[in-house]
Amino acid sequence: MTTLHELAERLIAKGEGPREPTREPVNTTMIRHWTQAMGDRNPRYQGLDAVAPPAMLQVWTMDRESPSRGPLDDMLDALTAAGYTGVVATNCEHTYARYLTPGEELTYATRMTELTGPKRTALGEGYFLTWLTTWYAKDEPVGEMTFRLLKFRPREESSPTGKRKPYPLKPAVNRDTAFFWEGASSGELRIQTCGDCGELRHPPGPICPSCRSTERSYVRAAGVGEIYSYVVHHNPPVPGHDTPFVVAVVEIPEGVRIVGNVVDCEPSQVGIGMRVKVTYRRMDDELILPMWAPLES
Amino acid sequence: MSTAVAGIGATEFSKDSGRSELRLAAEAVLSALTDAGLTPSDVDGLVTFTQDANDEIALARELGIGELTFFSRVPYGGGAACGTVAHAAMAVATGAASVVVCYRAFNERSGRRFGQPNPHLGGDPSSLGLEMSWHVPYGLMTPASWVAMFARRYMHAYGATSEDFGRVAVAMRRHAATNPAAWFYRRPITLADHQSSKWIVEPLHLLDCCQESDGAVALVVTSAERARDLPAPPAVITAAAQGSGPDQMMMTSYYRDDMTGLPEMNTVGRRLWEISGLRPSDIQAAILYDHFTPFVLTQLEELGFCAPGEAKDFIADGGIELDGHLPVNPHGGQLGEAYIHGMNGITEAVRQLRGTAANQLPGPANILVTAGTGVPTSGLILSRA
């Protein structure tokens, strides 16, 4: 079986990959958008004889539909397969040979340069992967970028016992509320109903406030809802959560409200009226919490 | 029987008192008794918050009070503040005791800080622990975050902005700036300071949140008749009320039809008007509980000083300033003076009625005081004798 370092050596030895073309030449429209977004009023980047800000280097080649698989993809896949599923960028350095001017057609190519590890980091054990991308105008190198990222094995999965670290914010559960948490564990959002008058109720309790019946049952909610109110928590730090994080009051069509985190989107995207769907998150070996994610994603 | 506040006392307000909470309590009670012209042996009743760490009997031992014939505790955090006076007044009116001291003492800044997350809030299968368990697992576990959830909905419903909340903080700090007892004495802020202060829990900035304090406050309650013979001018307890609303929770009543109001404060307000026979226009100043700015707006609405959604205009027009329609917290409130769980606001009302306040208003006759918001709460109307 090939080790990660053997694979790395092979991929590094391959050297620079094929030159990839870019869709558009260096152009004044993008320069104007970029300088306005950055608030950069340097006159060198304006007018008929404008040059491109050097820091835009990556802008000319950024493309969501990556043209072809490169050596990096093989390395990243191998690291993921080995359990290093987390990823975080750690370094990015640019070197510029000269200014670029509108109309220039660029190509770029990437070579892998280094794999180090395994290293112990605050995030967990991981490997640092480094590559070098060079931009060319015809055959003239005009700029370079050294990029490094850490592929790491998230902490919870690496404990010696194979158990996750206990989540610090456990709910209290008693015989009136156990059905809800059991439902969450099996991927159901259970809302209490009165066994006599049928009224729905959340949070649940032992007696129906409408008819005083102690007969209780529950319905399985469809799992969609709308944000009724929400907060973005910044300070102070809260155990078990990275800040900022979002908590919302969600109104569900069954007719009750429920509180939960909003995940899988940026806090700035959250708003009152936003439609969300339930998603279940495992917090530790015992607890699964129902949370909410944007419906349109 | 008519009752009155006959004496007030407090320690200094600080960030690190350097002494035990029991000692703070004892100092404040002695100071209030001295103010009332009474001694510990005159006391036969004590009332405090369920959250207070100093038992009535411990305090009685320290001060050599001797026998007690009445002691009670008022629950629900800062919602207890005016409730202690309500309990004391009832005890005096029914004859259960003749001189009752209300007290609250803590090292809330140098000791256990209420604003910090407590992972055990949801861990206990008591009714409160179960209630908290619908929120704490999601990290919704600080007072600022609980209030922020209401504030966001309020902004959505009425078009209020962060600046509308900020104007409350600016007014409180302006009042505190000329109150030598205030922690923020001579330290006013601008609206720009408010807007640039860091996020605590959006939509609340740091300067929407009251400070944390060490200190103690005590009040002596006795019959109005006896108070008239004591050296300090009495503040008559015209009305005292407690209240909780339908579907009430501790800080997280998110499951009611509406999230823009404080029904429990509405209950307290209605009782105060019924008992006193007064109306909002009969009130010359209000001490409104200001642990977080948004609920000052809500209280103005629930108590009938303006219509729902209009508090932002009331405040923007200078309504809560010292020369406004309804001066609010002339001492600077908990945002400006100190956070003693609402008890320092009651002493400010007494000073205003006596004419001895740092920022003295022109001869107020009736002052309304409220206690903690977002929780079952309480209120008072105190009047000049």
Side-chain angles (χ1 to χ4, degrees):
Chain A
M1 197 180 123
T2 323
T3 69
L4 290 167
H5 279 290
E6 284 165 0
L7 176 64
E9 267 176 45
R10 218 169 60 219
L11 294 172
I12 291 167
K14 277 191 175 177
E16 190 170 79
R19 299 251 185 109
E20 302 286 351
T22 53
R23 292 201 190 199
E24 295 91 13
V26 175
N27 64 80
T28 51
T29 312
M30 284 304 295
I31 293 174
R32 182 166 53 79
H33 284 308
W34 193 90
T35 51
Q36 283 179 0
M38 292 294 177
D40 188 336
R41 297 181 183 193
N42 188 337
R44 196 84 180 78
Y45 308 144
Q46 294 170 14
L48 290 173
D49 58 348
V51 297
M56 285 183 75
L57 193 54
Q58 263 183 294
V59 170
W60 310 119
T61 53
M62 213 171 260
D63 201 329
R64 286 188 66 169
E65 287 151 29
S66 185
S68 57
R69 273 186 70 85
L72 290 175
D73 297 296
D74 292 339
M75 193 72 240
L76 290 168
D77 287 352
L79 285 163
T80 302
Y84 300 97
T85 53
V87 61
V88 59
T90 62
N91 302 71
C92 178
E93 287 166 26
H94 281 195
T95 309
Y96 312 116
R98 65 166 172 84
Y99 281 115
L100 300 175
T101 54
E104 286 195 85
E105 303 259 6
L106 303 183
T107 58
Y108 69 105
T110 296
R111 70 172 73 219
M112 186 176 147
T113 55
E114 194 179 31
L115 181 78
T116 56
K119 304 247 186 199
R120 277 196 200 169
T121 76
L123 293 167
E125 185 188 279
Y127 284 82
F128 288 94
L129 172 62
T130 311
W131 67 82
L132 177 73
T133 301
T134 308
W135 281 261
Y136 299 90
K138 299 207 172 69
D139 283 330
E140 176 200 0
V142 293
E144 281 182 356
M145 175 178 73
T146 302
F147 200 95
R148 183 172 302 127
L149 57 73
L150 169 68
K151 284 283 282 175
F152 62 97
R153 179 177 285 159
R155 279 259 163 113
E156 300 79 42
E157 296 170 18
S158 66
S159 82
T161 58
K163 287 200 165 187
R164 285 177 181 239
K165 208 168 64 179
Y167 181 62
L169 304 178
K170 291 280 179 63
V173 179
N174 76 351
R175 60 192 69 190
D176 297 327
T177 67
F179 77 94
F180 178 89
W181 301 106
E182 286 160 8
S185 290
S186 53
E188 289 180 4
L189 188 65
R190 295 179 179 174
I191 305 299
Q192 185 178 60
T193 55
C194 174
D196 281 326
C197 75
E199 181 157 297
L200 266 70
R201 183 186 187 199
H202 186 85
I207 309 279
C208 173
S210 290
C211 73
R212 279 78 184 181
S213 168
T214 55
E215 293 299 315
R216 289 166 289 167
S217 182
Y218 59 82
V219 295
R220 292 175 189 84
V224 294
E226 203 175 285
I227 292 182
Y228 188 79
S229 190
Y230 71 100
V231 303
V232 185
H233 188 108
H234 294 265
N235 288 293
V238 168
H241 289 259
D242 294 326
T243 55
F245 64 91
V246 178
V247 194
V249 174
V250 175
E251 205 155 55
I252 65 172
E254 287 80 5
V256 298
R257 292 185 198 142
I258 183 165
V259 166
N261 294 111
V262 180
V263 295
D264 298 342
C265 66
E266 291 298 314
S268 60
Q269 293 174 278
V270 177
I272 289 178
M274 180 179 180
R275 296 170 70 214
V276 288
K277 63 184 177 204
V278 74
T279 174
Y280 297 91
R281 295 294 154 99
R282 176 166 285 286
M283 309 311 288
D284 60 19
D285 290 336
E286 293 167 0
L287 180 65
I288 291 178
L289 289 177
M291 296 188 182
W292 301 87
L295 189 60
E296 287 85 17
S297 74
Chain B
M1 184 197 291
S2 182
T3 55
V5 178
I8 54 175
T11 63
E12 82 288 0
F13 305 134
S14 75
K15 301 296 178 194
D16 186 359
S17 73
R19 27 207 217 283
S20 71
E21 294 186 340
L22 182 57
R23 177 164 161 188
L24 294 178
E27 288 180 18
V29 172
L30 275 181
S31 150
L33 288 170
T34 304
D35 181 57
L38 296 169
T39 65
S41 60
D42 294 311
V43 176
D44 51 6
L46 289 171
V47 186
T48 187
F49 294 47
T50 51
Q51 280 190 359
D52 200 277
N54 309 289
D55 278 354
E56 301 88 319
I57 52 173
L59 189 54
R61 282 200 308 270
E62 291 313 303
L63 297 176
I65 285 175
E67 288 183 340
L68 291 171
T69 61
F70 176 76
F71 29 86
S72 82
R73 292 264 181 152
V74 186
Y76 306 122
C82 297
T84 63
V85 176
H87 284 215
M90 284 191 285
V92 169
T94 58
S98 61
V99 174
V100 182
V101 181
C102 308
Y103 65 95
R104 178 75 175 113
F106 55 26
N107 287 322
E108 196 280 330
R109 179 59 183 79
S110 67
R112 188 169 84 74
R113 301 170 64 181
F114 299 168
Q116 297 297 313
N118 172 5
H120 306 297
L121 275 177
D124 169 32
S126 63
S127 64
L128 178 62
L130 288 163
E131 192 180 301
M132 291 278 175
S133 293
W134 303 109
H135 313 115
V136 169
Y138 303 102
L140 190 74
M141 57 190 306
T142 60
S145 69
W146 298 326
V147 172
M149 194 71 86
F150 286 104
R152 175 77 70 184
R153 187 69 201 181
Y154 181 93
M155 293 165 89
H156 175 81
Y158 296 128
T161 65
S162 169
E163 293 193 344
D164 292 320
F165 301 151
R167 277 183 260 277
V168 174
V170 172
M172 296 307 108
R173 290 290 290 270
R174 188 180 298 141
H175 299 174
T178 51
N179 169 13
W183 178 258
F184 287 117
Y185 177 50
R186 292 179 172 157
R187 283 187 282 172
I189 57 167
T190 65
L191 196 54
D193 293 334
H194 170 271
Q195 288 292 295
S196 62
S197 66
K198 70 177 178 182
W199 287 122
I200 297 300
V201 181
E202 287 179 64
L204 300 188
H205 288 276
L206 174 66
L207 291 176
D208 285 305
C209 310
C210 83
Q211 61 190 308
E212 299 176 288
S213 306
D214 285 9
V217 167
L219 302 126
V220 180
V221 174
T222 187
S223 69
E225 190 186 349
R226 182 162 181 189
R228 270 193 291 277
D229 298 332
L230 295 173
V236 174
I237 301 167
T238 300
Q242 291 180 275
S244 73
D247 271 331
Q248 181 78 53
M249 285 191 177
M250 276 291 278
M251 303 294 294
T252 55
S253 304
Y254 305 145
Y255 308 92
R256 296 163 164 170
D257 288 345
D258 182 50
M259 260 181 67
T260 58
L262 288 168
E264 54 280 1
M265 192 58 80
N266 191 282
T267 304
V268 167
R270 276 185 286 117
R271 285 291 294 149
L272 293 178
W273 304 131
E274 280 166 19
I275 296 166
S276 67
L278 300 174
R279 295 175 304 169
S281 59
D282 297 318
I283 302 295
Q284 288 81 40
I287 307 292
L288 301 183
Y289 198 90
D290 57 337
H291 55 356
F292 299 98
T293 56
F295 279 158
V296 172
L297 281 75
T298 324
Q299 289 181 85
L300 287 168
E301 295 166 9
E302 292 289 3
L303 295 167
F305 292 110
C306 62
E310 290 180 3
K312 63 182 194 310
D313 308 313
F314 186 96
I315 290 167
D317 293 343
I320 63 170
E321 309 287 333
L322 293 176
D323 60 355
H325 294 300
L326 181 76
V328 169
N329 301 346
H331 61 313
Q334 304 191 97
L335 288 156
E337 188 186 63
Y339 173 70
I340 313 293
H341 241 167
M343 293 294 269
N344 50 320
I346 307 176
T347 58
E348 168 66 6
V350 172
R351 282 190 299 267
Q352 288 288 347
L353 295 167
R354 290 179 178 180
T356 59
N359 296 317
Q360 183 61 48
L361 302 169
N366 300 302
I367 298 182
L368 185 146
V369 189
T370 63
T373 41
V375 293
T377 187
S378 53
L380 297 171
I381 293 175
L382 299 180
S383 307
R384 207 166 53 214

